[in-house]
């Protein structure tokens, strides 16, 4: 409704009105300046600025590999189906601002902070061995501080991180990812040209070429992590909007995480993805929640390629109404089962509540969708497992697990899995993310999806 403008009183001039308004604004500005800003206060943190005040001086390093990686994380908006509400090119404002708003849903969503011990017991109660093993592996990295640094770079990392020579529990022989034979042959040619194979038996050439490629890949990986740390600390000094954080920090971390399983798992930027109307969580209370379609930032998804698994997913999805495996209208994840959900915020403590609200709403819609899957057979008993959820605010990343109950959804945890503020935390984060990819997405979650096909 247009704002009603009251007529000026007799004798009041336009200039007089402007003076009054200017005086009022000046008084308001003075009052605002008089209040001291608290670090960590969500009321005084502008968008794009972290709450933390400790700024690391880790230098930025940019290799050719890291530049290409950064450039490759600029994502176009996903194509949307007519099922969801129309979307523009920019990220829309959400009517969901607080986690407490989720209690208004017919199946309410509750966020519960838990200690590591309580979370371990909560997962054990589900008797889901895959998720139980997953949490155990993650705790070894982020709680016990074990096996997250590559042994092959031990000498460099002891110097880089200021470790002691007898520190051994942090190091692990890095999992050697698959290499294309073409790359191996090219490396052999280059080593031979440089005289590196002189007096070496030919049967060892392949092994030397492979090990050289692995070491070069680990060097590049360290350079990318240094670049991410450098960008993080620059952004903490000079506020940047969320898309910049996603492109230069959060996206590259996820891209490194899927490196060993890139043929099975991918990460998707879903900032433009909408929740399909049939899966919007129900509520009997008149509220804007009914029409909320605010998206999260990323998902980890299984690749549905032109192989047996991909064809089975497509055939299964074709039997659904609407024909989407997930709850979203985005064509980019239509046939790609999503198993880890990630929300990013850049304004420190101010982002936690809104991020929880968005993740909770997205999860409620996802649970509603998969609850509608037709049972594979009368005797089947495919249960919905606890689902990993990540909330990244500024340089800090937290892991939670979402439990789907008959009457409510609980999202429990708050396990610190590392961050991007310094190199040691970045390596811990990368190791934890790779556990999620290797020990959940490519194994337990994959088998759960196959149970429906």
């Amino acid at each position: 409704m247009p704002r009603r403008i009251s007529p000026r009183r007799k004798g009041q001039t336009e200039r007089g009105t402007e003076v009054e308004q200017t005086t009022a604004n000046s008084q308001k500005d003075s009052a605002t300046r008089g209040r001291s800003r608290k670090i960590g206060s969500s009321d005084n943190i502008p968008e794009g600025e972290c709450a933390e005040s400790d700024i690391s001086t880790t230098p930025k390093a940019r290799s050719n590999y890291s530049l290409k990686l950064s450039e490759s994380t600029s994502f176009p908006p996903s194509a949307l189906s007519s099922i969801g509400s129309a979307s523009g090119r920019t990220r829309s404002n959400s009517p969901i601002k607080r986690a407490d708003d989720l209690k208004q849903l017919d199946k309410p969503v509750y966020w519960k902070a838990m200690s590591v011990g309580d979370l371990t017991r909560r997962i054990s109660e589900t008797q889901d061995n895959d998720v139980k093993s997953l949490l155990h592996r993650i705790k070894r990295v982020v709680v016990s501080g074990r096996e997250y640094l590559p042994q092959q770079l031990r000498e460099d990392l002891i110097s880089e991180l200021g470790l002691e020579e007898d520190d051994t529990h942090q190091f692990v022989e890095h999992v050697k990812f698959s290499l294309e034979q073409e790359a191996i042959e090219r490396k052999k040619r280059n080593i031979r040209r440089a005289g590196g194979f002189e007096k070496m038996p030919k049967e060892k050439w392949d092994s030397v070429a492979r090990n050289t490629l692995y070491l070069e890949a680990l060097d590049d990986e360290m350079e990318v992590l240094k670049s991410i740390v450098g960008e993080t600390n620059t952004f903490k000094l000079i506020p940047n909007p969320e898309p910049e954080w996603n492109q230069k920090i959060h996206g590259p971390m996820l891209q490194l995480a899927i490196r060993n399983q890139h043929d099975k798992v991918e990460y998707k930027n879903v900032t433009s993805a909408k929740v399909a109307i049939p899966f919007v969580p129900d509520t009997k209370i008149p509220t804007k929640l009914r029409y909320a379609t605010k998206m999260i930032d990323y998902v980890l998804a299984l690749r549905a390629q032109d192989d047996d698994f991909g064809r089975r997913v497509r055939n299964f999805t074709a039997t659904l109404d609407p024909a989407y495996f997930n709850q979203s209208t985005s064509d980019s994840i239509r046939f790609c089962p999503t198993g880890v959900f990630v929300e990013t915020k850049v304004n420190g403590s101010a982002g936690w509540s809104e991020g929880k609200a968005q993740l909770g709403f997205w999860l409620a819609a996802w649970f509603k969708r998969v609850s509608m899957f037709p049972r594979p057979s009368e005797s089947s008993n495919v249960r919905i497992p606890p689902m990993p959820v990540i909330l990244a605010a500024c340089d800090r990343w937290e892991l939670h697990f979402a439990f789907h109950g008959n009457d409510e959804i609980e999202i429990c945890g708050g396990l610190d899995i590392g961050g991007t503020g310094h190199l040691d935390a970045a390596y811990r984060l990368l190791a934890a993310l790779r556990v999620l990819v290797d020990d959940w997405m490519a194994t337990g979650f994959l088998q759960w999806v196959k149970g429906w096909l």
Side-chain angles (χ1 to χ4, degrees), residues 121-375:
R121 285 184 285 273
R122 180 70 177 87
I123 288 178
S124 295
E125 291 171 0
T126 67
Q127 298 182 344
D128 190 309
N129 291 329
D130 289 327
V131 180
K132 184 178 178 180
S133 175
L134 170 68
L135 180 61
H136 173 73
R137 286 287 311 279
I138 290 175
K139 286 194 302 182
R140 281 183 64 83
V141 172
V142 302
V143 178
S144 303
R146 304 182 67 87
E147 301 176 356
Y148 64 94
L149 298 175
Q151 176 67 34
Q152 294 92 325
L153 301 184
R154 176 183 172 84
E155 184 177 339
D156 294 335
L157 288 171
I158 284 179
S159 173
E160 188 78 37
L161 302 177
L163 301 176
E164 299 297 331
E165 288 292 338
D166 58 355
D167 285 335
T168 58
H169 62 277
Q170 301 100 322
F171 292 92
V172 62
E173 188 73 19
H174 194 276
V175 176
K176 294 183 177 180
F177 42 85
S178 60
L179 295 170
E180 295 182 2
Q181 189 61 36
E182 180 182 349
I184 296 172
E185 294 300 324
R186 184 168 57 250
K187 179 57 63 176
K188 283 164 59 177
R189 287 196 300 271
N190 289 336
I191 294 176
R192 188 171 61 250
R193 288 166 182 163
F197 286 144
E198 290 183 5
K199 299 181 181 180
M200 183 182 295
K202 194 169 185 179
E203 58 267 20
K204 291 187 177 181
W205 288 11
D206 263 24
S207 176
V208 171
R210 285 177 181 274
N211 288 334
T212 303
L213 284 171
Y214 289 139
L215 289 173
E216 289 175 351
L218 290 174
D219 278 337
D220 283 342
E221 182 174 274
M222 183 166 64
E223 291 303 307
V224 173
L225 289 176
K226 287 181 179 180
S227 173
I228 290 172
V229 169
E231 294 285 8
T232 297
N233 291 309
T234 296
F235 282 15
K236 288 169 73 174
L237 274 174
I238 306 171
N240 277 265
E242 191 172 303
E244 286 293 308
W245 279 79
N246 283 346
Q247 180 179 347
K248 295 183 178 180
I249 296 167
H250 302 135
M253 278 301 305
L254 292 172
Q255 185 165 336
L256 284 178
I258 66 170
R259 186 176 190 176
N260 299 341
Q261 297 285 355
H262 65 89
D263 57 330
K264 294 180 181 178
V265 182
E266 58 187 331
Y267 79 100
K268 294 279 192 178
N269 182 307
V270 292
T271 52
S272 297
K274 301 294 184 180
V275 173
I277 289 175
F279 311 127
V280 172
D282 296 320
T283 176
K284 298 175 183 176
I285 302 173
T287 170
K288 289 182 178 180
L289 275 174
R290 179 64 183 159
Y291 308 100
T293 52
K294 186 68 155 69
M295 46 287 193
I296 61 173
D297 290 271
Y298 295 102
V299 294
L300 294 183
L302 296 175
R303 288 186 180 274
Q305 304 176 100
D306 188 20
D307 53 14
D308 179 66
F309 175 72
R311 287 188 290 272
R312 289 171 64 190
V313 170
R314 285 177 167 80
N315 291 338
F316 172 77
T317 304
T319 67
L320 305 177
D321 184 22
Y324 293 90
F325 190 95
N326 302 292
Q327 82 284 34
S328 174
T329 60
S330 174
D331 284 338
S332 69
I333 55 173
R334 180 175 183 177
F335 302 110
C336 300
T338 55
V340 178
F341 312 105
V342 183
E343 171 63 15
T344 66
K345 290 295 177 184
V346 302
N347 49 351
S349 59
W352 291 109
S353 182
E354 185 176 354
K356 288 179 177 180
Q358 291 167 219
L359 273 170
F361 187 82
W362 184 271
L363 273 163
W366 187 87
F367 281 134
K368 183 177 180 180
R369 198 302 156 259
V370 299
S371 297
M372 297 165 64
F373 283 173
R375 292 177 62 182

Side-chain angles (χ1 to χ4, degrees), residues 109-112 359-360 363 389 400-403 409-413:
V109 178
Y110 298 98
W111 284 82
K112 296 185 177 181
L359 273 170
L363 273 163
V389 178
H400 304 257
F401 287 88
F403 300 84
I409 297 168
E410 290 184 338
I411 307 175
C412 305

